[in-house]
Amino acid sequence: MSSISVTDSDHRRNKILEIIIDSYVSTAQPVGSELVARKLRSSLSSATIRNVMVELEQAGYLEQPHTSAGRVPTDQGYRFYVDSVMNVRQLSPEQVRQIEVRIQPKELDVDEVLERASVTLAELAHQAAFAVVPTVKQSTVKQIELLPISARKLLCVLIADEEIVATHVVEISGSMTRDEAIALVRFLNTELVGLPFGMLLETLERRLLAESDSFYYLVKRSWEILQHALATEPTERLFMEGASYIVSQPEFRRDPHKTHELLRWLDAEDALLEHLRHDMEADGVRVHIGHEVGVPGVDECSYLTAPFRLGLTGGSGAVGILGPKRMDYPKMRSMVEAMARCVSELFGRQHAT
């Protein structure tokens, strides 16, 4: 099968689309043929440029606002640009080093690293940034601690691989002494270490059905406590920073309703996590543009994600940037990709030691 070559007209069309998108990203104003001609600095006439812009509009890549002679990119235009036109600029070694320094905590702690990662991305990109990490529910038991608070309340500390930690205050049906708590902790850390947290309740239930189990009382107490603790533990945890960067953009300053819808979506973490969940297991950077976000009222936004690994056994997470569709996609992509790589390497080095 012969290869398909890119014709001069394809190259010209792609270059004009790139100029229009770059200009619109910078100015938030519709782009006319005169501006494209100045940027091209070539022998193409304004008439030829206008004809190409009409072709791009007919292809669905551009649209013309009613109040302007210029044109703006459509979702389809951004998608074609991201997939087929833009050149991704890798961060310099010095820029990557700056990221590594900013996310490195004094002691390795998952929450602190990802909070630093989202803050750093937001400040570098001037967009909202986020990090998503699996909770203990997606990992295996490393340690369980119980600390009595009162006669009928315990602090249950669940520690998973890669030092993922969850704490829950659990109210129990019957009082428990400190000695009983110590015995229960010994049982939990002898019988359950190494098991997936997602299988703990099922494992304990099977043992309860076999009423002859010599540890029946401890099994029953363990099931009661873990059932309450895990019931309120989410599957993922979200760190979000920099929402103010988005709402200060012209698209949202001009339309308070759009701002309200965006902030309402960002506050509804479950809805946001539902859209991010698939990206955590994906390979490489994923870009969701406008209507692809799949949320009514947030179709003026795009987001990019890149997955990372929490060592060898701690599962996958993701970092990302959320902003208006009119964003610098090459720059945002390189930042997200670099941050995911730095986070993975940080936890990988910790696992190796």
Side-chain angles (χ1 to χ4, degrees):
M1 181 181 295
S2 60
S3 60
I4 301 174
S5 62
V6 177
T7 64
D8 289 342
S9 62
D10 288 336
H11 177 76
R12 182 175 60 192
R13 180 197 62 177
N14 292 352
K15 186 62 180 176
I16 289 174
L17 177 63
E18 182 179 27
I19 289 172
I20 291 171
I21 289 180
D22 288 347
S23 298
Y24 187 60
V25 166
S26 299
T27 66
Q29 297 296 323
V31 181
S33 58
E34 297 81 4
L35 176 59
V36 176
R38 289 200 302 272
K39 295 277 187 180
L40 276 175
R41 289 185 292 185
S42 70
S43 58
L44 288 180
S45 67
S46 292
T48 300
I49 293 171
R50 282 195 296 271
N51 288 337
V52 174
M53 291 175 69
V54 169
E55 292 174 8
L56 288 167
E57 186 174 0
Q58 291 172 342
Y61 296 159
L62 300 177
E63 61 185 359
Q64 187 172 19
H66 296 301
T67 58
S68 171
R71 289 171 174 82
V72 300
T74 63
D75 289 7
Q76 187 178 346
Y78 282 122
R79 170 52 60 196
F80 179 76
Y81 167 77
V82 166
D83 291 345
S84 305
V85 177
M86 76 175 189
N87 294 311
V88 179
R89 302 182 295 271
Q90 298 297 326
L91 297 188
S92 69
E94 177 57 30
Q95 289 172 316
V96 173
R97 176 61 183 158
Q98 289 175 5
I99 290 176
E100 290 174 341
V101 169
R102 292 183 66 170
I103 68 171
Q104 177 74 57
K106 292 181 180 178
E107 295 183 6
L108 193 66
D109 175 84
V110 173
D111 286 4
E112 185 179 352
V113 169
L114 296 183
E115 185 175 350
R116 287 175 178 231
S118 55
V119 169
T120 299
L121 265 183
E123 291 177 350
L124 292 177
H126 285 83
Q127 305 286 4
F130 55 84
V132 190
V133 64
T135 64
V136 295
K137 275 190 172 180
Q138 296 190 51
S139 193
T140 56
V141 178
K142 182 176 182 180
Q143 187 177 347
I144 299 175
E145 295 295 333
L146 301 175
L147 304 173
I149 299 173
S150 64
R152 294 200 173 190
K153 283 188 178 179
L154 297 170
L155 179 66
C156 179
V157 183
L158 309 175
I159 305 173
D161 289 330
E162 309 303 334
E163 306 304 325
I164 301 175
V165 178
T167 58
H168 296 273
V169 175
V170 175
E171 190 165 350
I172 55 179
S173 58
S175 61
M176 180 181 295
T177 67
R178 187 170 297 275
D179 287 344
E180 288 173 326
I182 292 172
L184 190 53
V185 167
R186 187 182 302 117
F187 168 79
L188 291 168
N189 289 296
T190 301
E191 300 291 319
L192 302 183
V193 168
L195 291 176
F197 273 99
M199 293 179 60
L200 291 190
L201 297 181
E202 180 185 343
T203 300
L204 293 170
E205 284 170 358
R206 284 200 302 266
R207 293 185 64 167
L208 285 176
L209 291 175
E211 296 183 4
S212 60
D213 194 312
S214 58
F215 294 109
Y216 184 83
Y217 172 76
L218 294 175
V219 173
K220 186 176 181 181
R221 277 294 216 182
S222 298
W223 182 89
E224 176 190 8
I225 293 167
L226 292 173
Q227 190 267 336
H228 284 295
L230 292 172
T232 55
E233 179 70 11
T235 305
E236 296 92 11
R237 197 159 59 256
L238 176 69
F239 299 84
M240 173 73 73
E241 296 287 341
S244 60
Y245 287 120
I246 309 180
V247 298
S248 66
Q249 298 289 340
E251 296 90 330
F252 296 96
R253 288 204 310 267
R254 291 192 294 256
D255 192 336
H257 177 70
K258 287 181 181 178
T259 302
H260 174 75
E261 288 296 310
L262 172 64
L263 294 177
R264 187 168 66 86
W265 183 59
L266 293 179
D267 285 340
E269 286 193 4
D270 289 345
L272 181 55
L273 282 169
E274 183 64 32
H275 287 79
L276 300 177
R277 195 161 285 133
H278 299 296
D279 292 356
M280 293 171 65
E281 300 296 336
D283 293 325
V285 178
R286 301 188 70 180
V287 183
H288 304 266
I289 299 170
H291 70 278
E292 297 171 1
V293 175
V295 180
V298 196
D299 52 4
E300 286 294 332
C301 289
S302 296
Y303 67 88
L304 304 86
T305 62
F308 61 80
R309 294 286 299 174
L310 288 173
L312 298 178
T313 59
S316 300
V319 292
I321 290 172
L322 172 73
K325 289 187 294 186
R326 185 187 53 82
M327 68 164 68
D328 187 339
Y329 288 96
K331 181 180 178 182
M332 300 302 109
R333 181 187 175 103
S334 62
M335 286 184 177
V336 167
E337 197 167 33
M339 180 61 76
R341 187 168 60 251
C342 288
V343 171
S344 291
E345 290 175 354
L346 179 60
F347 287 108
R349 287 196 300 271
Q350 172 68 15
H351 192 278
T353 58

